[in-house]
Amino acid sequence: MAEHSILHVDMDAFFVSVELQRRPELRGRPVVVGGTGDRGVVAAASYEARAHGIHSAMPSSRARRLCPAAIFLPGDHHHYAEVSRRVMAVLTSFTPLVEPLSLDEAFLDVGGARRLHGPAPAIAEAIRRAVLDAEGLTCSVGVAANKFLAKLASEAAKPRASLQGTEPGEGVTVVEPGRELKFLHPLPVQALWGVGPATLARLDRLAVRTVGDLAALPADTVAAAVGEANGRHLHRLAHGVDERRVEPHVEPKSVGHEETFARDHHTRATLRRELVRLADSTAARLRRHELSGRTVTLKVRFGDFRTITRSRTLPTPVSSGPAIARVAKELLETVDPAPGVRLVGVSVRQLAHGAAHQLSFSEAAGGNWDDASEAIDSIRARFGDDAVAPGSAFGPGGPRVKRGGDQQWGPDAGAPPREPR
Amino acid sequence: MKFRCERDVLVDALGAAGRAVANRGGSLPVLSGVRLEVAGDTLSLTGSDLDLTIGVEATVAGDGDGVTVLPSRIASDVARSLDAGSVSVATEGDEAHISSGRFESSIRVLPADEFPRLGAPAGEAVTLASGDFAAALRQVVPAASADDARPILTGVLMTPESGGLRLVATDSYRLAVRDLPGTSVLREGQSVLVPSRALRELERLLAGAEEVTLRLGERDATFEIASVRLTTRLIEGEFPNYRGLIPSSYPNRLTVGREPLIDAVRRVKLMAREATPVRLSMNGDGLELVAITQDVGQAHEQLDAKYEGAELTVAFNPEYLLDGIEVTPGDEITLETVDHQKPAVVRSVEGSEFLYLLMPVRV
């Protein structure tokens, strides 16, 4: 197997750790960051909270039942994004080959950095020290020959939570060349990326419990049990094979926003207003990245969590709020909101660089949204995001402009229910 | 029902009627079939998806009148697979037998009584030379929209104009207008909106035909070419006011050879990827075409042209531009512009029967 030069850096309880820097009095107590409303989900939990069985993506209401003493903090996405940018800058000082996966984790390829910084395990230790010095935050680092093993290794390096206290992890776990399968095969098969509940049930019928059990089966048997493509993929992973490279500039494939309502909406009129707002923010973000896109997708989640998407591909890329909103509203006409809608989302795919925009006759006749969009962007750059907003986004408290990361984990407890008067 | 005919007669008839057969599931199952009716020595075939209906008549050796509905796809595949020569088709119970030489197949038929009955064509019959009409369709139909979400724009407007017939189509990015002077098909004030899908089928049928008979009714339009009859439901609704889109005057006018421009656009557009446009820079020296796609490459070409007006660069979707110039008649064309964001118009130097209006791409 190849030299181990791939690192996976994962911040320890990132959102919680960042909050604790601002509120040190909460250290040592069970702290949960996420949606505080009835429909919120847990974004991050301190190790003390994890000892009670709380984990991320769990509904906040369940977390409260598991640990009534836990302190719930609403997420502050903008602050975390700022800290994340600084952490990523530290990583980039070791190698330009940094591929961020989210705010709190990244892959690094340090193959070319070894001459300067020493062998990969030494670089991993140096990164931990540098992040701690710069931001006062700890992270866990996995070192291996590929991304998949590096990610499993960083998981193994993490601190462990129990009711007796938090046990510090190794910090850095190295999967030595030649020892990949010794590391991988004892792990439960769920550790493989792509093994969800359905696949797990099928593998269970084959008496597969560990990655080693899976690796011992012929590829055909695995494919017959879980499907051709997934089978091949799992078979390769079980043998420690993963050829994905670290790609520092992954172009976004889609740009969009979604909103979970504090109460289900039942009428198109209310949803249309939300769509205008979401389309406006989606368009602003596209323009910020100098992108435009041809496929507009509407996502609707009903009260029972049934989720549908509807898409339309346009002959020409768009990047203005009204153009995206028009398509989203047309798509909404094909959806019956009567059962109650919990969430709507708008996203744009098939992205292209540059703002080349095929004008239509309606733009020749009455006003041009490109000019208007430019004006909107410059007003927002000077006076803030809510200095200008679509008319339908205005409520009694002024405009509500959707920002990236807003109520990402569900509406907050304090947010008033939004129903039309 | 029983008849005998040459293989090619059956293949052509099944092929023509089959083009109207509903290929999307979900509608009446019987619409996946072609209706065959034998009366004496005349075989009539009909395929329909309720919006579009194509009927064909052929002379065969009849040996028993009757009606049946054959699954279109299977019947057509079987007929085409046969060697040239005589084919016989006969129904027996709920099966149809197709035999030729030592080959025989039995096909389960569809219930003939469920096949929709179609009314007789309405409207006054007008016969036109097919050449002009086919040329007009070729010029106008490509400008119609393919987006079913905007049904009105998927149609071609047929409307009376100065004693003749005018065809208009737009997808909101370009507009094509063609006049057929002296062709009086519609009453003054009567306009119809014909689905472009039906007109594309009509274009195929017109190839090689000499004349076409039109009947434009209130709800349907019927076109007859030799032994084939195509009937389409009309689109209801108000076509946009296209006259208001055409600027009354253009300060800038470029005159350029049509073929050299087509060749140049085809070459330069190879470097216009990912929806990037081709830029036309026009000044006293002539015309320059430029295409630049980041991370791919660039191309440019200088063309001889006559230009009157202010120096101007305007960008177009190259496909939309080609769609217009390719169907503009004559050796020389004019491109008239207002500025880089207003509609530009393509016309022939030789005549004013065709006009192609095109919105630029903003870069």
Side-chain angles (χ1 to χ4, degrees):
Chain A
M1 209 163 274
E3 286 247 34
H4 57 315
S5 65
I6 307 297
L7 269 53
H8 180 251
V9 177
D10 196 355
M11 303 300 294
D12 297 337
F14 181 58
F15 301 154
V16 170
S17 307
V18 172
E19 286 296 344
L20 291 180
Q21 290 185 316
R22 301 199 286 192
R23 311 178 66 165
E25 72 277 10
L26 298 179
R27 270 184 210 285
R29 300 179 58 183
V31 175
V32 174
V33 170
T36 52
D38 291 344
R39 299 189 148 183
V41 292
V42 173
S46 70
Y47 289 96
E48 293 77 9
R50 290 183 199 193
H52 290 87
I54 298 174
H55 56 78
S56 55
M58 169 185 281
S60 300
S61 52
R62 182 164 152 69
R64 268 183 224 283
R65 281 198 301 277
L66 286 172
C67 180
I71 294 138
F72 280 74
L73 301 173
D76 180 352
H77 189 274
H78 288 273
H79 181 55
Y80 309 152
E82 182 49 42
V83 178
S84 171
R85 256 192 298 279
R86 296 198 300 257
V87 171
M88 295 298 168
V90 172
L91 302 185
T92 312
S93 68
F94 286 86
T95 170
L97 296 178
V98 176
E99 177 184 336
L101 290 181
S102 62
L103 290 183
D104 61 347
E105 54 178 323
F107 284 118
L108 280 71
D109 184 341
V110 298
R114 282 175 298 193
R115 267 190 64 177
L116 195 60
H117 298 285
I123 297 177
E125 294 288 358
I127 284 175
R128 287 199 78 218
R129 272 196 307 277
V131 171
L132 188 64
D133 288 349
E135 298 297 329
L137 296 168
T138 61
C139 59
S140 304
V141 186
V143 184
N146 60 41
K147 282 178 162 182
F148 157 69
L149 291 168
K151 181 152 178 153
L152 290 176
S154 74
E155 186 55 39
K158 288 270 175 199
R160 300 265 168 252
S162 76
L163 289 170
Q164 282 70 49
T166 304
E167 197 183 309
E170 293 182 85
V172 173
T173 296
V174 180
V175 182
E176 296 288 352
R179 298 188 55 85
E180 284 87 358
L181 299 184
K182 280 210 169 57
F183 168 76
L184 182 60
H185 283 178
L187 296 175
V189 73
Q190 295 95 303
L192 296 185
W193 158 61
V195 177
T199 303
L200 186 62
R202 291 200 186 121
L203 292 175
D204 195 60
R205 262 176 256 147
L206 297 174
V208 169
R209 307 282 187 276
T210 67
V211 179
D213 294 342
L214 183 64
L217 291 177
D220 292 349
T221 311
V222 182
V226 303
E228 189 61 37
N230 196 25
R232 252 198 324 270
H233 161 79
L234 292 182
H235 189 256
R236 290 165 64 81
L237 289 187
H239 287 86
V241 179
D242 173 17
E243 281 156 3
R244 291 172 301 155
R245 289 164 31 146
V246 173
E247 293 179 46
H249 300 292
V250 182
E251 292 278 339
K253 288 204 171 64
S254 77
V255 169
H257 280 289
E258 46 191 56
E259 172 107 4
T260 304
F261 307 122
R263 284 213 316 259
D264 288 355
H265 283 317
H266 297 268
T267 64
R268 284 212 184 88
T270 340
L271 295 173
R272 274 198 288 268
R273 203 167 323 160
E274 293 296 338
L275 292 182
V276 169
R277 212 163 65 85
L278 296 173
D280 175 60
S281 324
T282 300
R285 217 158 104 214
L286 280 172
R287 296 196 297 267
R288 197 152 52 240
H289 293 101
E290 292 184 351
L291 291 169
S292 56
R294 282 182 59 205
T295 302
V296 177
T297 302
L298 168 73
K299 174 174 168 185
V300 175
R301 176 168 293 152
F302 294 97
D304 60 1
F305 273 83
R306 190 167 55 91
T307 306
I308 57 169
T309 59
R310 297 281 180 270
S311 299
R312 159 115 33 89
T313 299
L314 305 166
T316 175
V318 291
S319 63
S320 81
I324 297 168
R326 186 176 68 81
V327 180
K329 286 193 278 187
E330 281 172 17
L331 293 168
L332 181 65
E333 289 304 309
T334 66
V335 177
D336 179 10
V341 171
R342 175 191 176 90
L343 169 152
V344 288
V346 172
S347 62
V348 176
R349 281 185 289 133
Q350 290 223 58
L351 304 179
H353 268 292
H357 169 66
Q358 171 70 54
L359 296 168
S360 77
F361 289 126
S362 57
E363 288 163 303
N368 179 327
W369 275 111
D370 287 333
D371 291 336
S373 298
E374 249 172 51
I376 292 168
D377 292 345
S378 51
I379 291 168
R380 284 182 177 159
R382 254 187 94 179
F383 302 108
D385 281 349
D386 47 11
V388 53
S392 57
F394 276 80
R400 296 187 302 122
V401 174
K402 182 83 183 169
R403 296 185 182 88
D406 267 5
Q407 56 123 279
Q408 197 169 1
W409 308 295
D412 288 335
R418 291 167 189 140
E419 279 290 337
R421 278 149 299 276
Chain B
M1 188 203 79
K2 192 172 177 189
F3 67 89
R4 202 157 39 75
C5 66
E6 285 300 305
R7 177 202 67 175
D8 290 348
V9 171
L10 186 62
V11 167
D12 290 350
L14 283 170
R19 294 199 57 89
V21 166
N23 41 23
R24 281 171 292 212
S27 48
L28 271 173
V30 74
L31 292 179
S32 66
V34 170
R35 181 180 186 273
L36 282 75
E37 178 168 1
V38 173
D41 282 339
T42 303
L43 168 68
S44 310
L45 289 88
T46 312
S48 177
D49 67 357
L50 295 180
D51 286 331
L52 176 67
T53 302
I54 296 178
V56 195
E57 286 194 350
T59 303
V60 298
D63 190 18
D65 292 358
V67 176
T68 191
V69 177
L70 294 181
S72 169
R73 187 67 179 279
I74 296 175
S76 163
D77 286 350
V78 167
R80 266 187 290 135
S81 74
L82 299 174
D83 291 334
S86 175
V87 183
S88 96
V89 179
T91 51
E92 193 185 328
D94 57 2
E95 286 187 338
H97 302 281
I98 300 180
S99 45
S100 172
R102 288 194 278 180
F103 170 84
E104 173 163 355
S105 72
S106 304
I107 302 175
R108 180 68 72 91
V109 302
L110 296 158
D113 51 342
E114 287 178 15
F115 201 86
R117 300 299 299 171
L118 300 151
E124 201 182 325
V126 180
T127 300
L128 308 178
S130 69
D132 281 354
F133 194 65
L137 292 179
R138 204 165 57 82
Q139 289 170 312
V140 170
V141 172
S145 173
D147 186 353
D148 287 331
R150 304 166 84 184
I152 300 233
L153 298 187
T154 64
V156 171
L157 179 74
M158 295 193 182
T159 183
E161 178 73 21
S162 327
L165 175 67
R166 171 171 280 189
L167 274 62
V168 186
T170 180
D171 61 2
S172 85
Y173 306 109
R174 61 255 176 85
L175 167 80
V177 181
R178 167 70 202 260
D179 284 326
L180 289 161
T183 309
S184 164
V185 179
L186 294 152
R187 294 188 314 274
E188 202 53 45
Q190 183 203 1
S191 291
V192 295
L193 198 48
V194 187
S196 53
R197 182 193 159 207
L199 294 177
R200 285 198 181 92
E201 292 301 331
L202 183 61
E203 273 188 76
R204 298 168 58 96
L205 296 171
L206 285 172
E210 295 202 341
E211 50 187 32
V212 51
T213 301
L214 284 68
R215 285 192 182 87
L216 305 178
E218 293 285 321
R219 294 162 155 264
D220 304 293
T222 301
F223 303 87
E224 288 170 12
I225 308 102
S227 60
V228 182
R229 175 192 284 171
L230 180 151
T231 302
T232 175
R233 209 147 70 174
L234 296 175
I235 298 171
E236 286 173 38
E238 190 78 12
F239 196 74
N241 172 23
Y242 68 93
R243 289 173 202 271
L245 303 176
I246 307 170
S248 50
S249 69
Y250 301 88
N252 312 308
R253 181 185 165 100
L254 177 86
T255 308
V256 61
R258 195 180 72 99
E259 286 292 340
L261 179 59
I262 290 175
D263 292 344
V265 174
R266 284 194 186 139
R267 276 190 288 268
V268 170
K269 86 176 166 89
L270 298 174
M271 290 300 152
R273 309 280 287 273
E274 295 169 13
T276 49
V278 167
R279 282 171 227 218
L280 281 67
S281 294
M282 299 172 280
N283 57 37
D285 297 335
L287 167 67
E288 189 183 29
L289 303 177
V290 182
I292 302 168
T293 306
Q294 246 184 0
D295 304 331
V296 177
Q298 59 90 26
H300 56 100
E301 181 162 347
Q302 187 78 34
L303 278 176
D304 293 331
K306 195 173 100 189
Y307 185 64
E308 302 145 87
E311 195 166 319
L312 177 68
T313 296
V314 56
F316 295 109
N317 174 326
E319 304 299 338
Y320 290 178
L321 183 61
L322 280 176
D323 279 352
I325 8 181
E326 281 171 351
V327 296
T328 301
D331 294 336
E332 282 204 308
I333 60 156
T334 60
L335 176 74
E336 291 170 282
T337 46
V338 180
D339 62 28
H340 70 286
Q341 293 194 56
K342 292 276 182 350
V345 70
V346 176
R347 273 193 261 243
S348 171
V349 166
E350 287 158 30
S352 57
E353 287 170 6
F354 178 64
L355 170 156
Y356 186 81
L357 191 71
L358 172 62
M359 284 301 288
V361 172
R362 211 184 96 130
V363 286

